[in-house]
Amino acid sequence: MSAEAFGRALPAVVTLDDLAAMIAADQHGHRYELSPEGALSIMPPPDSEHAAIASRLLVWLAMAGWPAEQVLQAAGIRIPGPDSDGGRIPDLTVWARAQSRSVWLPLADLVLVIEIVSPGSAAMDEVVKRSEYAHAGIPRYWMVERDAAQTVTLHVLGPDRTYEVAAKMPLAWLLQTNPADHQIGD
């Protein structure tokens, strides 16, 4: 489909149902997200380095005892907005309990969101999503850079609903710790 045809096919206002249909119809693995204000974002499929970082974190959490049903890759989360809800698809999410099957999960049991910065997504991950996740009340937000050290910035939600940096370390160092050391789920 050409960009012109794609633009003509878009509804006047994109909803989470529209977003789910776009994701289901995409043959190339793009991620479609919607801000709480209604801004549509389309990201290319993740590359192999991105997938390897996500796998390393997933295995680390699983080896520490987190059940597979509580550590989800690319699960959609519903972000409340002023007029309608937005939908984000973090790279990894950690939940206090297993979630019911849904395309857009509510935030009630969400304890940690992890985003792996891809080329071109730094501003979205560092500014936009950090602000949205904090405003939504998500207790912890971790960002993994794609620098040589794969630096992980661990954000903790403060009382004013903004994130404070709790720590910053190379991914290799983080993986030598226990997830419990970072109060995930407390």
Side-chain angles (χ1 to χ4, degrees), residues 60 64 66 140 142 154 166-167 169 173-184 186:
W60 175 68
W66 280 93
R140 300 194 181 288
W142 294 1
L154 288 65
M169 66 188 76
W173 291 9
L174 176 72
L175 298 176
Q176 296 301 312
T177 66
N178 188 308
D181 297 341
H182 308 288
Q183 292 81 40
I184 300 171
D186 288 351

Side-chain angles (χ1 to χ4, degrees), residues 72-98:
L72 305 179
Q73 290 189 57
I77 59 174
R78 185 179 295 269
I79 304 292
D83 299 317
S84 63
D85 291 345
R88 294 292 182 192
I89 306 173
D91 296 307
L92 285 172
T93 51
V94 179
W95 303 82
R97 62 189 49 81

Side-chain angles (χ1 to χ4, degrees), residues 22-64:
M22 292 164 72
I23 292 167
D26 189 291
Q27 300 172 357
H28 304 289
H30 293 93
R31 285 192 186 174
Y32 296 79
E33 295 183 339
L34 188 65
S35 77
E37 294 77 29
L40 176 65
S41 301
I42 304 171
M43 284 76 60
D47 63 17
S48 59
E49 180 187 26
H50 186 282
I53 293 168
S55 293
R56 291 176 72 194
L57 286 162
L58 180 71
V59 168
W60 175 68
L61 289 160
M63 299 223 12

